[in-house]
Amino acid sequence: MRHFHFQDGQMMAENVSLHTIADEVGTPVYVYSAATLKRHYQVFEQAISDMDALIAFSVKANSNIAVLALLAKLGAGADVVSGGELTRALMAGMPAQKIVFSGVGKTMDEMRAALEADILQFNVESMPELYALDATARALNTTARIAFRINPDVSAGGHAKITTGKAENKFGINIDQAESAYAEAASLGNIEIVGIDMHIGSQIDTLAPFKAALTKGIELIKTLRASGHNIRSYDFGGGLGIPYNEDENTPPLPALYGQMIAEATIGLDLKMIFEPGRLIAGNAGILLSKTVYVKKGSVRNFIILDAAMNDLIRPALYDAHHHIEPVTLTENGAPTQTYDIVGPVCETGDTFAKHRDLPEISAGDLIVIHSAGAYGAVQAGQYNTRPLIPEVLVSGDKYEIIRERPSVEDILKTEHIPDWV
Ligand SMILES: *Cc1c(COP(=O)(O)O)cnc(C)c1O
């Protein structure tokens, strides 16, 4: 996070002033720090270094091909959840043998593309999916390597919209049905069982849910092996949380997470797969926005930004907290005001934060929304005909636009008025 820091009273992304980026690229804009991405990757890599492990970056957290290429250079593979993400990962140089394919609704077209690329494994989430994969592999005269995504029925805490490991969630095969699922898979001609998979949720801020899932997973691996299944790998998913707020409970350090898993799996001769997303990208990016107006209401003061919920939906969707501050540092003791920080979209939900104490803000002031590197740009839309905003990658004193801002004309090019209207 500290690669976004103040220098001479102005916030920098590494050695590039955010003012410069705002002037040259315009706002709103996502800005990512290459050094932070790299550091987060290496901290995680170090944390799991006692295990035979693959880091399959969760592409859905940040799917820009420049980000993927940077991680690929560091040795990362990818966890993809669609054919589109598979195309991105391959285009960014991630080797197919480091790509796993998750998701509850893989189509046969997507399966075909992944089989043709010869990816490492499919994380299969249901029996109908298993049969479709077997049929697709048969048609291509090949074999699909699979792990079942096992739902261990543990509560991971966090927001209801991002917990995935409870029996009532749509994800995976319930653990009590795992043995029969594996027996069925073993009977299919074009399926090869290689492991088990779990991903219990996101922004998990204690080790306990991971520990509970791990215990169940290891027990299951032993049972499956005793039944003659060749379980070689354990994909433990992602989900380790990050600090969004400096005062709040900090999630466990990756080193403690890694140590717990290494100790629990020692001697089991397992290849581990990890799918971190947020942990790598979340605090490697910010959303840089400009104040359009400051509106003093009778009961509230509003900072109205040029960024909106269509650019960063996390506050509206998950009540997510983001640390927000001006790009220009004010002197200690300067007067503050309490603001609601909102976007221009015509929805009350278009609110980034409520009741924040900030220095006096004026129209034109640049504002930083922190921790926007994961589940930010990827979830953006064009609601209110607001074009997707650009993404910029900074490294040292250089930066580059890694996704351009489309124009309104670009958007309208894809629409047609039938001549019978
Ligand atoms: C979203 C997701 C991840 C990444 O989760 P993070 O909380 O970003 O680490 C990993 N695996 C699967 C299957 C996912 O759906």
Side-chain angles (χ1 to χ4, degrees), residues 3-4 13-18 21 24-25 29-39 62 64-74 280-281 283-286 373 389-404:
H3 289 107
F4 298 101
E14 302 194 26
N15 301 328
V16 178
S17 156
L18 293 181
I21 293 175
E24 295 180 1
V25 184
V29 55
Y30 280 102
V31 181
Y32 309 129
S33 155
T36 311
L37 285 166
K38 188 169 172 195
R39 193 189 67 211
N62 186 320
N64 189 289
I65 56 172
V67 170
L68 300 183
L70 183 152
L71 295 172
K73 280 237 169 81
L74 297 171
I280 309 288
N283 276 324
I286 55 140
I389 65 175
E391 295 169 278
V392 162
L393 183 64
V394 174
S395 178
D397 53 15
K398 60 178 185 284
Y399 77 88
E400 192 154 324
I401 297 171
I402 57 173
R403 185 180 73 193
E404 287 164 27

Side-chain angles (χ1 to χ4, degrees), residues 48-66:
I48 59 165
S49 59
D50 286 343
M51 294 173 267
D52 173 14
L54 167 68
I55 303 176
F57 175 67
S58 175
V59 171
K60 80 179 197 288
N62 186 320
S63 62
N64 189 289
I65 56 172

Side-chain angles (χ1 to χ4, degrees), residues 58 60 79 102 149 199 202-203 238-239 275-278 375:
S58 175
K60 80 179 197 288
D79 170 42
S102 305
R149 176 166 176 180
H199 170 72
S202 201
Q203 188 53 16
E275 304 170 347
R278 189 189 311 269
Y375 306 108

Side-chain angles (χ1 to χ4, degrees), residues 41-371:
Y41 182 83
Q42 289 171 340
V43 164
F44 192 76
E45 187 178 45
Q46 180 62 34
I48 59 165
S49 59
D50 286 343
M51 294 173 267
D52 173 14
L54 167 68
I55 303 176
F57 175 67
S58 175
V59 171
K60 80 179 197 288
N62 186 320
S63 62
N64 189 289
I65 56 172
V67 170
L68 300 183
L70 183 152
L71 295 172
K73 280 237 169 81
L74 297 171
D79 170 42
V80 301
V81 294
S82 71
E85 286 190 356
L86 174 64
T87 303
R88 284 176 177 278
L90 292 169
M91 180 187 267
M94 276 152 165
Q97 279 303 303
K98 291 185 181 178
I99 297 178
V100 302
F101 195 163
S102 305
V104 296
K106 302 174 194 80
T107 65
M108 287 173 94
D109 281 344
E110 291 174 319
M111 290 172 176
R112 203 172 298 119
L115 285 166
E116 281 168 352
D118 197 22
I119 65 162
L120 179 63
Q121 75 180 45
F122 292 83
N123 291 334
V124 174
E125 305 220 15
S126 68
M127 299 315 282
E129 182 193 334
L130 179 74
Y131 299 130
L133 182 59
D134 181 53
T136 310
R138 193 174 320 115
L140 292 174
N141 201 14
T142 186
T143 305
R145 288 175 289 272
I146 69 124
F148 279 108
R149 176 166 176 180
I150 303 299
N151 185 326
D153 195 22
V154 301
S155 181
H159 194 281
K161 283 190 181 146
I162 52 175
T163 185
T164 59
K166 289 288 292 168
E168 68 264 29
N169 293 132
K170 71 176 177 181
F171 298 99
I173 305 260
N174 285 342
I175 193 157
D176 52 6
Q177 294 167 348
E179 284 184 68
S180 64
Y182 276 91
E184 180 68 7
S187 75
L188 300 179
N190 297 77
I191 294 291
E192 182 193 356
I193 294 166
V194 296
I196 73 163
D197 167 51
M198 278 178 184
H199 170 72
I200 58 172
S202 201
Q203 188 53 16
I204 299 170
D205 61 4
T206 63
L207 285 182
F210 291 117
K211 177 80 187 163
L214 187 61
T215 304
K216 290 189 176 189
I218 290 170
E219 206 177 303
L220 176 63
I221 288 168
K222 289 178 177 164
T223 307
L224 294 172
R225 283 177 169 175
S227 309
H229 299 296
N230 185 6
I231 305 293
R232 311 191 290 273
S233 66
Y234 186 178
D235 183 336
F236 199 51
L240 191 56
I242 60 166
Y244 277 90
N245 182 350
E246 271 149 31
D247 331 316
E248 124 195 316
N249 290 349
T250 38
L253 291 174
L256 294 176
Y257 169 89
Q259 189 187 349
M260 177 190 79
I261 299 165
E263 281 169 7
T265 57
I266 201 161
L268 289 178
D269 192 21
L270 281 171
K271 173 174 174 148
M272 297 300 297
I273 302 171
F274 295 98
E275 304 170 347
R278 189 189 311 269
L279 188 76
I280 309 288
N283 276 324
I286 55 140
L287 173 54
L288 177 61
S289 180
K290 189 176 276 177
T291 307
V292 184
Y293 297 111
V294 176
K295 173 167 141 178
K296 309 236 161 166
S298 53
V299 291
R300 294 274 173 91
N301 296 321
F302 295 95
I303 296 172
I304 303 169
L305 296 178
D306 62 0
M309 63 186 288
N310 69 297
D311 305 313
L312 176 68
I313 203 173
R314 298 190 67 259
L317 190 58
Y318 316 120
D319 298 315
H321 177 99
H322 286 264
H323 181 56
I324 299 177
E325 63 184 335
V327 164
T328 302
L329 200 59
T330 42
E331 282 154 40
N332 267 341
T336 62
Q337 281 276 2
T338 304
Y339 294 104
D340 283 8
I341 302 159
V342 304
V345 161
C346 302
E347 300 271 349
T348 303
D350 186 20
T351 297
F352 290 113
K354 286 186 169 162
H355 308 297
R356 291 290 175 89
D357 288 330
L358 291 180
E360 287 267 6
I361 300 293
S362 312
D365 287 354
L366 291 173
I367 300 286
V368 165
I369 303 180
H370 283 281
S371 311

